Amino acid sequence: MIQVNDDITIEDWEVTEQFTRSSGPGGQNVNKVSTAVELRFEAARSPNLSGPVKARLKRLAGRKWTSEGALILRVEDTRSQARNREIARERLAELILQATHTPKRRIATRPTLGSKRRRLDAKTRRSGVKATRGKVTGEE
């Protein structure tokens, strides 16, 4: 069981872990020991997450979100299987915690008079630069 915050806990049946061989350096040990963990969280079927939280989690997860609605995290940071497993669970909890925060709505504001003037001045200056360009007449 993973405790995300006071309200959200992820049950063991929602998470499956698969261990594979890790890539990268490690000598002969890397060919023998399956230390990398692939954590799969069935987010779409989770009863502990509300609809808006699932939608935000899907947007945050990006390519880690599968078409079946599962979130897949692969961790191969350390050479210890237990530590990789802890890291994967921590990352899942952090991601869900990020998804629980509702983003602040942006309030549209009008541009200030000074910003309008600066924009128009820049346009005038640029058009002047372009107007001076052109074909060179043979005055030599």
Side-chain angles (χ1 to χ4, degrees), residues 21-33 35 79:
R21 289 197 186 124
S22 191
S23 65
Q28 294 172 341
N29 194 51
V30 80
N31 300 325
K32 295 185 285 184
V33 185
T35 56
R79 290 167 73 174

Side-chain angles (χ1 to χ4, degrees), residues 99-140:
T100 58
H101 298 302
T102 53
K104 197 171 140 188
R105 283 199 62 200
R106 184 189 178 280
I107 300 166
T109 57
R110 291 174 58 205
T112 62
L113 189 62
S115 68
K116 285 181 186 175
R117 284 194 181 131
R118 282 191 298 274
R119 183 179 63 85
L120 293 174
D121 288 344
K123 285 169 77 76
T124 309
R125 226 176 291 116
R126 189 73 188 145
S127 71
V129 167
K130 289 189 171 189
T132 57
R133 292 182 188 156
K135 290 192 174 180
V136 179
T137 57
E139 295 177 8
E140 294 176 27

Side-chain angles (χ1 to χ4, degrees), residues 12 20 26 36 50 55 65-66 72 76 81 87 91 93 102-104 112 127:
D12 289 332
T20 56
S50 63
W65 190 273
T66 65
I72 297 177
E76 49 183 308
Q81 189 183 74
I87 292 169
R91 285 185 189 168
T102 53
K104 197 171 140 188
T112 62
S127 71

Side-chain angles (χ1 to χ4, degrees), residues 50 52-53 56 59-60 96-105:
S50 63
V53 171
R56 284 192 293 270
R59 189 175 44 79
L60 283 170
I96 294 169
L97 195 60
Q98 277 183 322
T100 58
H101 298 302
T102 53
K104 197 171 140 188
R105 283 199 62 200

Side-chain angles (χ1 to χ4, degrees), residues 60-74:
L60 283 170
R63 292 176 60 196
K64 296 177 193 125
W65 190 273
T66 65
S67 57
E68 300 94 50
L71 178 67
I72 297 177
L73 295 173
R74 182 173 167 81

Side-chain angles (χ1 to χ4, degrees), residues 17 19-22 34-39 73-91:
E17 291 166 339
F19 299 98
T20 56
R21 289 197 186 124
S22 191
S34 297
T35 56
V37 65
E38 196 173 87
L39 187 135
L73 295 173
R74 182 173 167 81
V75 178
E76 49 183 308
D77 294 357
T78 66
R79 290 167 73 174
S80 164
Q81 189 183 74
R83 183 67 188 122
N84 282 340
R85 190 173 177 209
E86 283 176 28
I87 292 169
R89 286 171 170 259
E90 287 168 10
R91 285 185 189 168

